């Protein structure tokens, strides 16, 4: 937490300079301030991921379960990522029936899961590619999926990329957009905290599919972090 506080100050001052609030910057100054903002925001995202993982591993993470409409949540995640996909000339598709109904879960954490997966798919899918964001019911579960036509992951790395600080066969370096390898680990941790499971299928140059299966309502006695009890219907 002590790392995050000064970093927020750096980001705030950089945004002030980038917005020309105290005079217009020249082209090189503007480029440097843009670089500071980009690097600071990436570092803040990494710190937040590490804090979440540390909280989970320490056993302090609890789920703020509420009842919510799955389609509304999916539409929100879709809207957040649509502009980023459009910049790369990709097609982002929402595949979720409007009448899919309600579920009881930590909506904020599930949004984080789906946003991470969709952002990852956009990063590693080339221009003109397709990313499909889906949700469907299967008995008492809700099955979320993010399927892309990206560069894929080698078969022998499928299990490894779900572990902390691990990445697949992807380019390194500042321009690659590759993080510290925490995104998929967080996805797995949040899904398992809900009593769900994550499955990954992928082939090199043929794309990746990540499936998250979660119970539509908490199973009795399964999760001590459940704060909300409610009736649920499809």
């Amino acid at each position: 937490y002590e790392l995050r506080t000064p970093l927020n100050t750096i980001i705030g001052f950089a945004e002030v300079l980038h917005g020309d609030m105290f005079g217009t910057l020249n082209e090189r100054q503007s480029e440097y301030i843009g670089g500071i903002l980009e690097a600071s925001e990436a570092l803040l995202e990494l710190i937040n991921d590490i804090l979440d993982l540390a909280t989970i591993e320490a056993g302090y993470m609890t789920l703020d379960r509420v009842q919510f409409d799955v389609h509304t949540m999916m539409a929100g995640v879709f809207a957040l990522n649509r502009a980023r996909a459009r910049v790369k000339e990709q097609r982002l598709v929402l595949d979720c029936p409007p009448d899919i109904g309600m579920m009881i879960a930590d909506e904020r954490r599930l949004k984080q899961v789906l946003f991470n997966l969709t952002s990852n798919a956009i990063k590693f899918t080339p221009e003109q590619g397709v990313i499909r964001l889906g949700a469907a019911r299967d008995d008492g579960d809700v099955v979320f999926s993010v399927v892309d036509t990206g560069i894929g992951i080698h078969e022998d790395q499928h299990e490894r990329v779900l572990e902390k600080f691990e990445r697949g066969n992807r380019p390194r370096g500042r321009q690659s957009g590759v993080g510290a390898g925490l995104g998929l680990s967080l996805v797995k941790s949040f899904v398992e905290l809900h009593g769900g499971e994550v499955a990954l299928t992928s082939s090199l140059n043929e794309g990746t599919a990540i499936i998250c299966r979660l119970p539509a309502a908490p199973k009795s006695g399964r999760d001590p972090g459940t704060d909300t009890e409610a009736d649920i219907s499809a």
Side-chain angles (χ1 to χ4, degrees), residues 156-171:
D156 64 6
Q157 298 178 344
H158 287 186
E159 292 295 327
R160 189 169 64 82
V161 296
L162 293 172
E163 301 303 321
K164 292 182 288 295
F165 300 106
E166 293 288 354
R167 293 174 290 198
N169 48 291
R170 287 167 173 178

Side-chain angles (χ1 to χ4, degrees), residues 113-131:
V113 163
L114 294 168
F115 184 82
N116 280 357
L117 292 177
T118 308
S119 297
N120 230 36
I122 290 171
K123 280 181 187 177
F124 300 110
T125 298
E127 293 182 358
Q128 311 303 323
V130 178
I131 297 105

Side-chain angles (χ1 to χ4, degrees), residues 71-110:
H71 183 269
T72 301
M73 182 197 71
M74 295 288 287
V77 175
F78 175 79
L80 284 171
N81 285 282
R82 182 167 46 189
R84 298 179 60 203
R86 189 180 295 128
V87 167
K88 291 190 66 175
E89 300 181 8
Q90 297 165 339
R91 188 160 65 95
L92 182 61
V93 179
L94 178 61
D95 184 13
C96 176
D99 61 350
I100 190 171
M102 313 290 284
M103 74 179 295
I104 298 173
D106 190 324
E107 184 178 9
R108 183 172 73 90
R109 294 304 186 185
L110 286 190

Side-chain angles (χ1 to χ4, degrees), residues 102-103 136-143 213-219 232:
M102 313 290 284
M103 74 179 295
R137 282 191 177 271
D138 183 19
D139 293 330
D141 296 335
V142 180
V143 181
R213 175 182 289 269
L214 293 90
K219 296 178 181 177
I232 185 169

Side-chain angles (χ1 to χ4, degrees), residues 11-26 29-30 33 37:
I11 291 173
F13 284 140
E15 286 175 341
V16 167
L17 292 173
H18 198 253
D20 295 334
M21 294 184 183
F22 295 104
T24 303
L25 303 178
N26 63 40
Q29 290 170 333
S30 183
I33 289 296
L37 272 175

